[in-house]
Amino acid sequence: MLNKQKILSEFLEAKGLANSLQLEQARQIQQRVQKSIDDILKDLGIIYDDNLSRLIIEELGITYIDGLNYSFEKKVIELINPFFAKRFRIIPLKIESEKLLVALDEPINFLSLDYFSETLGLIVEAELITKKNMDYLLKTYYQSEEDTTVSDNSSLGSEANYPEDDAPVIHLVSMLISDAYQKRASDIHIEPMYDSLRIRYRIDGILRQVESPDKNLQSSILSRIKLMAGLNIAEKRLPQDGRIRTIVNNKEFDLRISTLPAHYGESVVLRILDRRVIRIEEMGFSPAQIESFKNIVKMPNGIVLVTGPTGSGKSTTLYGVLNSINRSKKKILTVEDPVEYQINGINQVQVKTKIGLTFAMVLRSMLRQAPDIIMVGEIRDLETAKIAVQSALTGHLIFSTLHTNDAPSAVARIVDMGIKPYLVGATLQAVLAQRLIRLLCPDCKQAYKPPKDEIRILEIDPNSDTNIFKAKGCPLCANTGYLGRTGIFELLMIDEKIRRLAGDYVSSSVIREQARASGMTTLKEHARDKVLQGLTTFQELVRVTQSDVD
């Protein structure tokens, strides 16, 4: 943040302290971990704190001052919000005309004074004080009843001094989005609490709290996000949905915005949507599953369902499938709520329930467009299910999602919606259940001999020398031990035996037994394979498939 990465990189390269390859390595690590660029360089042994500080002091001709002899005025102190002051350890000393004098205790921050000047609209000059004096001044002038946590997502000034459309809040929201994207977050959660504004990122499926701005910036931050998404900033009583298109590091991506009225203010979630559609081969399928799935997409008609809980990657899988069959000879239509990924060559329709443009209505109209393949974002009700079945019976290949825990349960779920069992058996071609499981960091994973209970669940020969891996933590993975996610899958192919069982409306357990007898790999078994391959941990297997682990 504060463009420190670019400035520091140029300084180190000019001084011969690091080469371009080392700096590129540090930049790639920073995209994955929650650390500043200078901390990463120190971890890699490229720079040392004292050495770097000395070089910057010499280069800029900086000298230490006392810093305690100034007459601190309230109007000067209030120029910088406590949140910003604590994060960047900066104290305003005095202001004269259009010039602000500040104190810093970190020489590297002198390289970023241009940013301060731009944000405050003042000429900013700085003096260097000791860390001891800085601690004293921060405690004296920015101490609140409760210590305020701070982060790279910083802001200058308070809401009273800076209205929403001024630079500070705009910079804060932009840096928040940039920070989340660079740390590989899939979501940003902004949650008003009683006396704080909590911000969390979902990284590799796990929510991690980040240091947050002051509570008094809450209204301005939420208004800024709503403005960017084209939402009504005056409407705070009803949920709203919107979309933002933005660019970070020259890469364009979308944000899906959802607001929800809560007790202490509107809760906002920003879903980060990378515009790159993932290929089937990148999703984590086993070779046998890929082969089966490639045969499925060649079918002339029928229904293919992808099941799993919210956030399990169902939409990503469907988009990958559609992209793999997106050819000039096929007409593909989708009906979605919302359209998450935009794919050239595919006609995508956004549901708008307020004007009556429902899944069922769009599906009926789609059939008059003579499509070869239809993707329905989700089968939510009987009407949509009926039209999907009718479409499959009249020669269309239908892809959709459903909320069930495993593949065999999808058969019973469609019947429970009101579809006749024999129609389910006649139209359903395959069901894919899936979850997302975290991958071990390749730089720090540790091998170990599993104990007896893990050997039993993993079905390892007790007399073998098989090792599995556990998470440790390093700078590359932000000390979590995990880096990225992959899918685990349960692919149920509807053969003649399964069709007969579906037509007889038997229980899901009976269908599961037959599917396993026919060679279906369960979610637990697929996760087990990835543990034995050294891709993930036993703990992840239990966390993701805990309902399947005895």
Side-chain angles (χ1 to χ4, degrees):
M1 298 307 174
L2 291 182
N3 209 21
K4 183 187 289 187
Q5 176 179 320
K6 182 176 183 293
I7 297 170
L8 180 58
S9 296
E10 291 175 353
F11 181 82
L12 292 171
E13 198 162 7
K15 289 294 179 183
L17 297 174
N19 58 43
S20 58
L21 290 176
Q22 291 172 315
L23 294 171
E24 176 61 19
Q25 180 188 10
R27 186 192 66 77
Q28 291 178 358
I29 292 175
Q30 193 193 29
Q31 290 181 352
R32 300 183 178 95
V33 304
Q34 301 183 37
K35 275 192 171 186
S36 65
I37 187 67
D38 38 319
D39 283 340
I40 292 170
L41 291 168
K42 292 169 196 171
D43 290 341
L44 294 173
I46 296 173
I47 61 173
Y48 297 94
D49 202 8
D50 293 341
N51 184 41
L52 180 64
S53 296
R54 178 181 56 78
L55 284 169
I56 294 174
I57 288 172
E58 291 175 359
E59 178 74 14
L60 300 180
I62 304 169
T63 58
Y64 279 94
I65 65 167
D66 187 307
L68 303 180
N69 296 328
Y70 285 84
S71 177
F72 293 92
E73 300 179 34
K74 184 179 179 182
K75 67 177 184 179
V76 177
I77 291 295
E78 288 180 348
L79 280 172
I80 296 181
N81 184 273
F83 164 64
F84 190 93
K86 292 177 182 179
R87 169 60 185 89
F88 293 103
R89 295 180 66 84
I90 179 172
I91 292 286
L93 299 175
K94 67 176 182 179
I95 185 170
E96 292 179 353
S97 185
E98 298 298 314
K99 185 179 294 185
L100 175 67
L101 179 66
V102 300
L104 303 170
D105 68 344
E106 178 58 70
I108 194 171
N109 284 339
F110 277 74
L111 300 175
S112 303
L113 288 181
D114 286 346
Y115 177 88
F116 298 135
S117 297
E118 177 188 345
T119 311
L120 287 169
L122 298 167
I123 298 171
V124 178
E125 295 180 350
E127 298 284 1
L128 188 63
I129 64 175
T130 64
K131 295 188 182 297
K132 180 179 179 181
N133 284 354
M134 178 61 77
D135 289 338
Y136 172 79
L137 291 173
L138 287 174
K139 185 175 182 181
T140 301
Y141 294 105
Y142 291 113
Q143 184 70 31
S144 56
E145 294 180 7
E146 248 181 65
D147 284 335
T148 304
T149 55
V150 294
S151 79
D152 284 342
N153 313 320
S154 314
S155 177
L156 296 172
S158 65
E159 186 179 353
N161 291 332
Y162 293 94
E164 186 277 319
D165 58 351
D166 275 351
V169 170
I170 294 174
H171 277 293
L172 169 58
V173 173
S174 296
M175 287 193 290
L176 175 67
I177 294 170
S178 174
D179 186 45
Y181 182 79
Q182 291 177 358
K183 290 172 179 171
R184 303 178 301 104
S186 60
D187 307 271
I188 305 170
H189 294 253
I190 303 175
E191 304 161 310
M193 302 288 112
Y194 169 70
D195 57 357
S196 63
L197 182 63
R198 183 170 69 178
I199 296 180
R200 296 189 289 175
Y201 298 160
R202 189 179 296 279
I203 302 174
D204 294 336
I206 306 296
L207 279 171
R208 301 180 192 171
Q209 185 162 348
V210 296
E211 297 168 350
S212 305
D214 289 344
K215 174 73 172 177
N216 63 7
L217 293 174
Q218 174 180 313
S219 178
S220 296
I221 291 170
L222 299 185
S223 293
R224 172 61 185 166
I225 292 170
K226 290 167 77 174
L227 277 173
M228 292 172 69
L231 304 180
N232 183 355
I233 63 172
E235 180 56 78
K236 301 180 180 179
R237 301 165 301 168
L238 297 173
Q240 296 187 71
D241 294 298
R243 201 178 189 96
I244 299 170
R245 180 162 295 175
T246 189
I247 297 175
V248 172
N249 293 341
N250 297 319
K251 188 168 185 179
E252 189 176 29
F253 64 95
D254 292 342
L255 296 164
R256 199 175 79 200
I257 314 300
S258 171
T259 72
L260 182 70
H263 189 61
Y264 296 113
E266 291 176 283
S267 174
V268 177
V269 175
L270 296 84
R271 169 70 59 86
I272 298 174
L273 303 172
D274 194 327
R275 303 185 76 192
R276 186 181 77 88
V277 178
I278 299 176
R279 297 168 55 245
I280 293 178
E281 291 79 7
E282 300 176 87
M283 294 178 183
F285 287 106
S286 69
Q289 289 171 334
I290 288 180
E291 194 61 33
S292 296
F293 220 85
K294 286 182 175 179
N295 290 330
I296 291 170
V297 299
K298 294 176 183 176
M299 293 177 177
N301 57 61
I303 297 175
V304 180
L305 296 176
V306 180
T307 76
T310 301
S312 60
K314 299 186 298 295
S315 296
T316 300
T317 297
L318 281 180
Y319 280 113
V321 170
L322 291 181
N323 198 47
S324 71
I325 54 178
N326 184 17
R327 303 291 182 268
S328 59
K329 294 182 180 180
K330 297 283 187 180
K331 178 158 186 173
I332 304 174
L333 300 177
T334 76
V335 50
E336 308 169 60
D337 185 20
V339 174
E340 292 191 359
Y341 299 87
Q342 296 172 359
I343 306 176
N344 288 332
I346 294 179
N347 298 281
Q348 297 172 268
V349 180
Q350 167 78 53
V351 167
K352 297 177 182 177
T353 54
K354 288 183 179 180
I355 61 172
L357 196 64
T358 62
F359 276 107
M361 178 184 177
V362 174
L363 267 176
R364 282 194 294 267
S365 299
M366 277 184 171
L367 296 179
R368 295 192 287 272
Q369 295 277 315
D372 297 294
I373 298 167
I374 297 174
M375 192 268 271
V376 184
E378 181 183 348
I379 294 180
R380 299 179 177 178
D381 51 42
L382 175 58
E383 187 178 10
T384 305
K386 281 182 176 179
I387 300 172
V389 168
Q390 186 61 39
S391 301
L393 289 171
T394 54
H396 300 89
L397 182 58
I398 310 294
F399 290 93
S400 190
T401 68
L402 202 64
H403 286 277
T404 61
N405 289 328
D406 57 20
S409 298
V411 179
R413 178 77 181 97
I414 293 293
V415 173
D416 289 342
M417 281 185 174
I419 301 298
K420 299 295 184 184
Y422 74 89
L423 288 176
V424 176
T427 57
L428 197 59
Q429 297 285 12
V431 182
L432 178 74
Q434 70 178 71
R435 300 287 191 280
L436 293 176
I437 196 166
R438 290 188 292 173
L439 290 168
L440 276 162
C441 173
D443 277 23
C444 65
K445 64 180 184 180
Q446 285 188 334
Y448 72 100
K449 179 71 175 177
K452 289 182 179 179
D453 56 341
E454 295 181 17
I455 287 175
R456 176 179 60 84
I457 293 172
L458 294 172
E459 300 175 9
I460 299 173
D461 181 354
N463 300 316
S464 72
D465 294 327
T466 302
N467 283 336
I468 60 176
F469 291 84
K470 62 182 177 180
K472 181 186 176 185
C474 68
L476 181 64
C477 60
N479 292 314
T480 64
Y482 297 96
L483 192 64
R485 290 188 292 176
T486 190
I488 56 171
F489 301 94
E490 180 177 277
L491 181 57
L492 170 62
M493 300 296 294
I494 310 298
D495 58 19
E496 288 306 314
K497 291 181 180 178
I498 300 291
R499 290 188 198 284
R500 285 197 294 271
L501 292 175
D504 292 340
Y505 192 27
V506 300
S507 68
S508 298
S509 60
V510 174
I511 293 177
R512 170 173 283 274
E513 287 178 12
Q514 178 56 50
R516 295 195 68 184
S518 299
M520 182 186 78
T521 299
T522 66
L523 289 167
K524 176 192 166 186
E525 289 167 343
H526 197 191
R528 168 188 173 273
D529 291 343
K530 292 187 183 293
V531 172
L532 297 179
Q533 291 167 22
L535 298 175
T536 191
T537 63
F538 175 81
Q539 290 71 26
E540 273 294 281
L541 179 151
V542 174
R543 182 183 71 85
V544 176
T545 68
Q546 53 189 315
S547 60
D548 297 324
V549 176
D550 183 4

